[in-house]
Structure formats: structure tokens, C-alpha cells
Amino acid sequence: MAAPKKSVVVKESGQEKANGSPPEFTKAQELAALRDMLLIRRFEEKAGQLYGMGAIGGFCHLYIGQEAVVVGMQMALKQGDQVITGYRDHGHMLACGMDAKGVMAELTGRRGGYSKGKGGSMHMFSMEKNFYGGHGIVGAQVSLGTGLAFANRYRGNDNVALAYFGDGAANQGQVYESFNMAELWKLPVVYVIENNRYAMGTSVSRASAQSDFSKRGASFNIPGKQVDGMDVRAVKAAADEAVAWCRAGNGPFILEMQTYRYRGHSMSDPAKYRTRDEVEKVRHESDPIEQVRNRLLAAKVGEDELKKIDAEVREIVNASADFAQRDPEPDPSELWTDIYR
Amino acid sequence: MPIQVLMPALSPTMEKGNLAKWLKKEGEPIKSGDVIAEIETDKATMEVEATDEGTLGRILIPEGTADVAVNTPIAMILADGENAADLAKAPAPAAKAAESAPPAEAKAEAPQPKAAAHPTAPAAVSEPEPEVPEGTEFITQTIREALRDAMAEEMRRDGDVFIMGEEVAEYQGAYKVTQGLLQEFGARRVIDTPITEHGFAGVGVGAAMAGLKPVVEFMTFNFAMQAIDQIINSAAKTLYMSGGQMGCSIVFRGPNGAAARVAAQHSQDYSAWYSQIPGLKVIAPFSAADYKGLLKAAIRDPNPVIFLENEVLYGHTGEVPKLDDYVVPIGKARVVRKGKDVTIISWSMGMTYALKAAEELAKEGIEAEVIDLRTLRPMDTETIIASVQKTGRAVTVEEGWQQSGVGAEVAARIMEHAFDYLDAPVARVSGKDVPMPYAANLEKLALPSVAEVVAAAKAVSYR
């Protein structure tokens, strides 16, 4: 595939991190971000409860703490842009606008789930919302997401693919194979590295020779940026820049989102690799939802308005949990369907 | 004594080539390392370098000669102090050159000689496909050409079909299977990739998830082990995991199994590996017509398809129906030779042993029915069972290993569905349970042989 002749401006990694505050949100943006992040938070809390009750089985990786990343990124997308991620995917699906009932019912393995109960927590898709999964093999979604971008380039449209992965996946070989091809062919893909500091139980410092993930594309001339992934405004601003870069045909862009997961890697994680204090410190000092709430309160938005959002979100989540427990299991005949088409 | 220059073997599977051009004239001095001639193989045009010093005394094979067998003397080099009179002292040629043919067209890619079927490929007893109308004209093609035509036809038909892989574009294919595609379809649709099997397989699957129809060429399936996670976990399972919402129409193709003298890491047969996976279709044809018709079917299929080719077969020729759109259905075996005494079941390269063995057996009064599976998944159990119900005896033939092999699966199905018809246990002829050795004699021993197939067929016939 012939690459367009454009000079690549490689930006200094990490330079704009914490350089003052990111651009302010309008009140409407703040409210929308609050609502979307709160939906993910409450949904995940409910999923954790249902797991504890035995209604959800297998692996269940919660997104609590990282909500600003997907919500901010999504604000920079337009119709037609694609999203793909790994196994910690519930937040991405809700941010894409997928129905909470369908997601929760998939978690409980019911017929009304997005994959008819055959995929579970890590494997859900929505062609309608351009969400391409939900992939259980660490790093696989990076090559697949690069392929989505390849399709955009092949078709000559201006859609951009977002490929999310974690600091753990960032050490996989196929990530770099994909970086190489994406830059070589100028594919419109934003690689969003969600650095939540731990790949399962291994901290970044114990697994990564280069812990500045925004530099991971440097040897391929892919520009990268470190972003405060706990501030939805910073995420949105970085997303705007990266998506515009890709949409203009300049090739891929890497965003390292510095974030934090409050819960264990999965539900069965005793979290012995970090202290309770560390978690509490992040929660108190930089919780993405509290940041927005505090800004709204400071801007004299009434508690009532915020409570209305709380109530709306709780209702969605409760309805999804209710549906996910009432919906029947898949018909046994479903065992034999969807193997070939 | 004058030195003979022999026709060199320029690839592991080369048996003959065309002498395209002499770059030195008789009487010219030659230094070691000088390029003296150009040779066209079915894959590429290669230069021949002199390894000895002296004077080019005589050209034995004129330029433009086609089908010169490997090791045929092509020229004589005179050492210092020797002259033309010494040429007579040279030993007699070790091998005879093929009949001189008219000069090949002066282009880099020599057309395949329209020779008879390759000596190691017995002519299939032609049983016309049901889908070929009577009176259809056939053309003689190499399997390499049949594959290329299949891809070109499908690319003309559907703009979403593209090919990607190592050396598929500018190099014209490592085995020349994609020859001419770049010229016809351009760099947008014929894409050279870096040497990153895992990565480009994933990119292909992602593009397929987005609705394109990639044909991903692996230079050989040995290298696809790097990519097998994407093939199985991403390509084969996603339709199921998404409840039928998202599948991928993609073909992974390339040579599979043993070539010749390339040792263990480059000689593995993956038929059994891929044929175990629900969600994949697995095709491994033998005849040129099937290579063409099944590759076209594979490209159109909405599911991920593993298309196992064989490097040794690429240069083999066969009769391909001259139809605008020759598509062979996936999942149907073919009775290639009819017989009543024993059923021999094979596919791809294994068919060469099976068919020759059938000829040998016929001489001894045993009429073997030979089935070419063509598709390994879904497997055409019906055709196998119908034959075994008739013959009561079965032999499977494969180059792959025996344990958990395709032959083992065929034997199990026969046991499950035709136990009462069996007059003897099913016999399996297979590659030996060792990594492929390099030494020529050991390699031959590691592969199945016609003699082993004959012996197995006699054993199950108690003869």
C-alpha cells in the first residue's frame, strides 16, 4: 500500500504532561462526562456484587478508576470510527453507547446478552456501535485494531480506529509488529495505552525497561504523548489531537493514559502487590468522577441536578442487573449455532 | 581435462529449468565468480556464476533451450594451456539435455512449458466434476498458474478481495504464485508485508472483521506458527463468541508440508493441526483444477479458510476446465479412481503415493478405489463410508505424523460408521514419528512411500 508523502513531525513525548490545566469543558460536557463515567462506575460495582453472588462466572475484570479514559476518548470520535480493546472491556462498551442490559446479560451468560451468552465478560461486540471487542488474548487487539485502520485506508474513508491496551500488553511482540506496519502504511489508528500501573500483579517498574509508554513508538517514528488519564478533560484534549492527526492521513498516534484501577486485576485477585494506602491515596486525590463533580459544584451546579444524574444511572444499572438475572439461559440448541455462517 | 559446467539446481524443488541466455561467448576468458548465464526456473530468473577459471571452450546447451534437467552439462571450460582439441577428452555427459525447444520469449517470467504431467504426478483418472458441463474445453496449467488465476479472477470480481504477505508483490511471490498480480491490481491490493507473521495475520483478521476479504499468504505454513494465535483465537472463534454478530471472511494460504531437503523447521504438515478447529474450514487439494476451483470457493466463503498448498506440487500440471467461473464446492471429497478391493484415502501430496500405489496394485490384480479428500474440514465422511462399505478395507496416506493425524480421524470415522463392513483394521501410512531429517536418504525414509502404501493395501487385503 503506497504511503502518502508527508513529513512526520515527531513530538516530544511527555512534554505536555501536567503543563497547566487542560482546556475547560462546557457545563454540558462536564455533565455528559459525569453521567457516562458514573454509569460505568455503578455498572462495575453492580457487576462486582453479582459476581460475589455467583451470578457472574469465570473472569470479570472491572474498570473502576479508569473511567475517564474511555469517556474522554469517546468524546473525540465521530460516527464510523471504530473501537477495539482487550478483556477489561465493560467500560468501553458502555462508552460506545452499547446497552447496559445487553452487557450485563452477557456477564450472567443469558440469551439476551450481546453474544447470546456465548462470549462472556471478555468477548462482546456491537457492529451497530462499531465496537469490535472484547478480546481475551493480551495484545491481540492491537494487531486487529491495526487491521480495522487498514480497512479504513483501503476504503479511502476518514474513519479512525482506536486500539486500547494496557501497560502489560505493551510488552507483547505483535504490538511492535503492528506499530511498524501502521507507520509504514500510514494507518489511521490511535494506540491508547491504558497504563494502570499493574499488569495483573506486576508493576510497570518490574516489567518494562522503558516505562514511558508514549515513547514506545519512537523507533517507528510514531508520535506519542503522556496524558493524565484521571482528568477527562486532559483525555479529551489529547484524543482530539491524536484523532485529528490520524484523520488527516498522518498515520498512527500513541497516547499513554496514566490511570489506575481500584479493584484487583480480576475478581480473584487478592491484590498483595500494592498497599491499601496506595489505592486510597489515588481515590482521594485524583478520582476521575470526583474531579468532575467538584468542578460542577464549584460552578454552582446544584446538588439536585447531580442527584438526578445519580438516580438515572442507578436506574439503568438496576434494570440491567434485574434483566440479566431474569433473562433465560441460552437455548441448548445455541451450542451448535454461529460456528460457521 | 576440460571442466564441465552442469545445470545447477537453484531451489530445493527444482528439477529442470530454461537456459535463458549466455552472457559469455565461446573463447571468452572466465574468472571464478563471473556470471556466465541466466537460468529461468518456474520461480525466478537466476544467474549462474562460474566457479572455475579458464576459457569458455564450448557451449553445450544453446540459449533458449527449455526444460534442461538439473546436472546436465551445459558448457565446457578449458583450463590454461588447453585448447579446443582437448574438448573431446571430456567425459560423456552425465545426463541428457531435453530436446531443444524454440527460444523462450524474452521476458523475465518464462511461461510454463506445456509439458505432460510431471513424472511424479500420475495422471488422475479423469472423472469429470459434476459441475463441469459436458463438452467443456480444458487447458493445461501448472498448479501455480491455477492458483494465480483463481486469485486474479476473484480480485476482478470483488473489490474487497486483496492479498497480503511476504514478497507477494514486487518479488512476484516467493514461489511465484502471485505472479503478475501487482501489475494488474496495483500496490493497494497486492501488499508486501514486513516479515511479521503474527502482526500481519492480526492485521488481516482485523481488516476482515471490518468487512474486507483478505487473502493472507504465508511464505510457508511453518511460519504461520508465529501467527496461529490470531488464526485460531481471533479468526476462528470470534463468530461464535459474538453470538453470530461478527465473523471474518479470510483465506490463509501457502505451501504446507515437506518441500525437499529443507529439514525439520521447514517441512511440517499442519493438516491435522488446523483440521481440529471448529470455526475454520481446511482445504488441501491435489489436482490443478481443484486448486483453482477450491481457492475461488475459499475466497468467497464467509468463514476463515486454511488453504494448504504444496510446494512440490506447484510445478505440476493438470487439466483445468476453461470456464468463466469454475468454483469447486468446499467439503466434498472426490473418487479419483474407482475400484472394488480396497479404499485408499488421501489428499494433497499424499495423493501422489496413493495413485501410484493404485497402479502398482492393479498390476497384481487388486483394484484400489482412491479418494481425494480435498477438504479436511468439513470432512466428507459420506464419500469415505460409501466406498468402504463397498470395499471393506481402507488405507489412509498422509505426509504428516501419525499420532492424532488426519488418518487417525478417518480411521475413527470408518470405525464409527462402517465397522460392520470392515474386513480388516484400517491401515495408516504416514510420515515417520521424527522431525524431518536433512540427509536425502533419511528424508526419503521419513516420508511415506509408494511401497508402503502398496504393502498396507495388501496387508488389509490379506495378500
Side-chain angles (χ1 to χ4, degrees):
Chain A
M1 182 178 268
K5 294 275 173 261
K6 269 203 179 169
S7 60
V8 177
V9 184
V10 180
K11 303 211 166 158
E12 289 274 317
S13 291
Q15 288 304 298
E16 292 178 45
K17 184 200 162 197
N19 275 354
S21 297
E24 295 294 321
F25 269 9
T26 63
K27 184 185 159 197
Q29 283 175 316
E30 294 275 35
L31 287 170
L34 177 70
R35 185 250 175 220
D36 290 352
M37 290 195 290
L38 211 51
L39 175 62
I40 296 170
R41 174 80 48 104
R42 297 286 171 259
F43 182 94
E44 294 289 65
E45 287 166 353
K46 182 62 80 179
Q49 277 175 24
L50 291 179
Y51 193 93
M53 291 158 55
I56 297 173
F59 292 125
C60 186
H61 308 91
L62 301 181
Y63 198 64
I64 297 173
Q66 303 181 214
E67 297 91 343
V69 178
V70 286
V71 170
M73 288 301 305
Q74 199 67 27
M75 292 171 97
L77 300 188
K78 71 167 179 62
Q79 186 69 35
D81 292 340
Q82 304 116 319
V83 172
I84 190 166
T85 187
Y87 48 79
R88 194 178 305 284
D89 56 356
H90 313 158
H92 302 71
M93 293 186 275
L94 296 173
C96 285
M98 287 166 67
D99 177 29
K101 280 184 187 166
V103 179
M104 197 68 93
E106 189 60 38
L107 295 183
T108 54
R110 305 304 171 97
R111 63 178 60 174
Y114 266 97
S115 300
K116 303 185 200 164
K118 297 200 260 189
S121 166
M122 301 184 285
H123 313 110
M124 276 180 256
F125 310 82
S126 169
M127 293 296 90
E128 187 200 346
K129 301 290 182 187
N130 277 318
F131 180 73
Y132 286 81
H135 294 271
I137 304 296
V138 174
Q141 76 273 23
V142 182
S143 299
L144 296 171
T146 307
L148 298 174
F150 176 95
N152 294 337
R153 181 114 166 72
Y154 186 90
R155 292 182 167 126
N157 62 35
D158 71 343
N159 295 336
V160 172
L162 299 192
Y164 289 90
F165 52 106
D167 47 281
N171 294 326
Q172 284 275 17
Q174 65 179 319
V175 169
Y176 299 91
E177 299 185 18
S178 302
F179 282 1
N180 183 43
M181 284 180 275
E183 180 63 30
L184 186 68
W185 298 334
K186 300 289 179 203
L187 303 182
V189 52
V190 182
Y191 296 111
V192 188
I193 304 178
E194 297 193 66
N195 175 6
N196 64 16
R197 303 196 210 170
Y198 297 92
M200 200 168 150
T202 303
S203 65
V204 165
S205 62
R206 293 202 300 125
S208 295
Q210 169 55 275
S211 58
D212 181 344
F213 292 96
S214 69
K215 289 183 180 158
R216 289 294 184 96
S219 66
F220 307 97
N221 294 329
I222 303 175
K225 205 166 192 180
Q226 280 186 323
V227 183
D228 177 1
M230 303 302 274
D231 183 343
V232 68
R233 300 168 307 172
V235 173
K236 158 81 162 59
D240 281 339
E241 183 188 346
V243 169
W245 172 269
C246 295
R247 220 184 288 292
N250 296 317
F253 200 103
I254 293 172
L255 293 177
E256 177 193 342
M257 293 293 169
Q258 298 182 315
T259 183
Y260 198 75
R261 94 175 125 68
Y262 296 175
R263 296 293 186 94
H265 163 72
S266 67
M267 296 306 293
S268 48
D269 175 8
K272 291 275 190 338
Y273 47 84
R274 62 184 183 187
T275 62
R276 186 172 286 273
D277 285 352
E278 179 185 301
V279 183
E280 283 311 305
K281 190 167 160 19
V282 179
R283 283 184 100 115
H284 282 108
E285 291 174 7
S286 45
D287 183 78
I289 295 173
E290 286 310 307
Q291 288 188 43
V292 180
R293 196 193 296 276
N294 292 339
R295 284 199 301 271
L296 282 165
L297 289 172
K300 305 273 182 273
V301 174
E303 286 270 7
D304 287 357
E305 200 166 348
L306 300 185
K307 276 191 177 145
K308 249 199 296 191
I309 293 175
D310 278 340
E312 181 222 333
V313 162
R314 274 185 201 285
E315 197 177 307
I316 293 171
V317 169
N318 289 336
S320 76
D322 191 43
F323 174 73
Q325 293 173 94
R326 276 190 300 105
D327 193 42
E329 288 186 316
D331 189 88
S333 66
E334 280 294 336
L335 180 66
W336 299 103
T337 63
D338 305 322
I339 300 155
Y340 297 99
R341 53 180 182 178
Chain B
M1 209 189 299
I3 300 153
Q4 284 187 345
V5 180
L6 303 180
M7 181 73 170
L10 300 169
S11 78
T13 53
M14 176 177 167
E15 289 168 3
K16 61 194 174 184
N18 303 337
L19 213 161
K21 198 174 180 187
W22 280 104
L23 300 170
K24 296 280 182 189
K25 291 196 199 65
E26 288 184 3
E28 269 193 81
I30 288 170
K31 286 202 302 292
S32 176
D34 281 355
V35 177
I36 57 170
E38 279 179 9
I39 300 221
E40 289 171 346
T41 69
D42 48 6
K43 289 175 200 153
T45 299
M46 312 279 281
E47 294 175 335
V48 180
E49 289 181 3
T51 50
D52 298 288
E53 307 218 333
T55 309
L56 185 58
R58 184 169 297 164
I59 288 173
L60 301 174
I61 304 290
E63 67 181 32
T65 307
D67 295 344
V68 181
V70 166
N71 284 336
T72 306
I74 56 173
M76 309 279 273
I77 292 177
L78 295 167
D80 279 352
E82 290 179 332
N83 59 42
D86 293 309
L87 290 170
K89 295 183 205 155
K96 264 214 156 72
E99 289 294 319
S100 282
E105 286 167 61
K107 58 179 182 183
E109 296 84 28
Q112 274 296 319
K114 297 280 181 275
H118 193 281
T120 64
V125 177
S126 191
E127 203 197 353
E129 291 285 333
E131 59 269 28
V132 178
E134 209 152 321
T136 300
E137 197 187 325
F138 283 78
I139 52 166
T140 308
Q141 271 194 320
T142 61
I143 282 169
R144 173 180 284 116
E145 291 166 329
L147 288 169
R148 192 258 331 270
D149 286 358
M151 286 187 281
E153 286 176 24
E154 292 308 297
M155 287 175 81
R156 281 176 211 131
R157 185 176 168 270
D158 185 345
D160 284 342
V161 178
F162 68 93
I163 174 144
M164 70 191 305
E166 292 155 10
E167 310 291 6
V168 298
E170 297 199 1
Y171 195 92
Q172 303 285 303
Y175 297 101
K176 271 202 170 177
V177 173
T178 53
Q179 192 173 336
L181 296 182
L182 174 68
Q183 284 66 27
E184 180 174 352
F185 299 102
R188 175 175 166 267
R189 298 181 67 193
V190 185
I191 301 148
D192 278 327
T193 63
I195 305 173
T196 53
E197 282 83 7
H198 195 184
F200 72 68
V203 169
V205 175
M209 286 171 172
L212 297 181
K213 295 176 181 168
V215 177
V216 175
E217 175 175 311
F218 292 115
M219 196 179 285
T220 85
F221 264 93
N222 299 286
F223 312 148
M225 267 203 282
Q226 299 257 8
I228 203 163
D229 171 64
Q230 289 288 7
I231 296 171
I232 292 171
N233 272 319
S234 300
K237 296 180 184 171
T238 301
L239 185 70
Y240 196 79
M241 292 194 306
S242 68
Q245 234 192 114
M246 192 172 97
C248 62
S249 178
I250 186 168
V251 176
F252 299 100
R253 51 153 291 269
N256 169 60
R261 307 293 310 283
V262 290
Q265 291 178 338
H266 287 71
S267 304
Q268 191 170 334
D269 177 2
Y270 291 88
S271 302
W273 283 43
Y274 292 107
S275 77
Q276 214 215 354
I277 309 299
L280 290 181
K281 293 188 179 181
V282 183
I283 300 172
F286 168 63
S287 76
D290 286 344
Y291 266 100
K292 181 171 186 189
L294 281 165
L295 183 55
K296 281 166 69 80
I299 293 170
R300 285 181 204 185
D301 198 277
N303 301 288
V305 179
I306 303 289
F307 195 89
L308 301 171
E309 301 162 8
N310 188 286
E311 189 192 329
V312 178
L313 295 178
Y314 278 152
H316 288 194
T317 50
E319 300 295 303
V320 179
K322 200 176 168 189
L323 294 170
D324 287 343
D325 199 19
Y326 181 62
V327 183
V328 174
I330 295 171
K332 280 199 173 152
R334 178 163 174 248
V335 178
V336 175
R337 181 182 180 118
K338 283 203 182 300
K340 61 174 177 43
D341 297 327
V342 57
T343 304
I344 304 177
I345 301 132
S346 192
W347 65 95
S348 188
M349 190 63 190
M351 287 296 292
T352 59
Y353 310 107
L355 287 170
K356 278 201 212 160
E359 281 174 24
E360 297 288 316
L361 290 163
K363 289 177 198 157
E364 301 185 40
I366 300 174
E367 288 176 40
E369 179 144 298
V370 182
I371 296 177
D372 179 359
L373 288 179
R374 306 195 289 187
T375 300
L376 303 178
R377 172 180 272 271
M379 190 181 281
D380 182 359
T381 312
E382 243 173 71
T383 299
I384 299 168
I385 297 306
S387 178
V388 173
Q389 285 176 342
K390 184 172 67 176
T391 63
R393 302 156 202 279
V395 175
T396 64
V397 184
E398 65 191 307
E399 285 201 335
W401 292 306
Q402 199 163 72
Q403 178 162 343
S404 312
V406 177
E409 174 64 25
V410 170
R413 288 186 190 209
I414 292 172
M415 185 189 72
E416 286 163 358
H417 300 287
F419 185 75
D420 291 342
Y421 293 86
L422 281 177
D423 293 323
V426 177
R428 288 179 288 162
V429 176
S430 69
K432 308 304 177 294
D433 202 19
V434 297
M436 185 65 73
Y438 168 70
N441 64 327
L442 297 181
E443 183 184 57
K444 210 168 166 203
L445 287 170
L447 289 166
S449 68
V450 175
E452 286 170 356
V453 181
V454 169
K458 283 185 181 172
V460 299
S461 306
Y462 302 116
R463 288 178 57 173

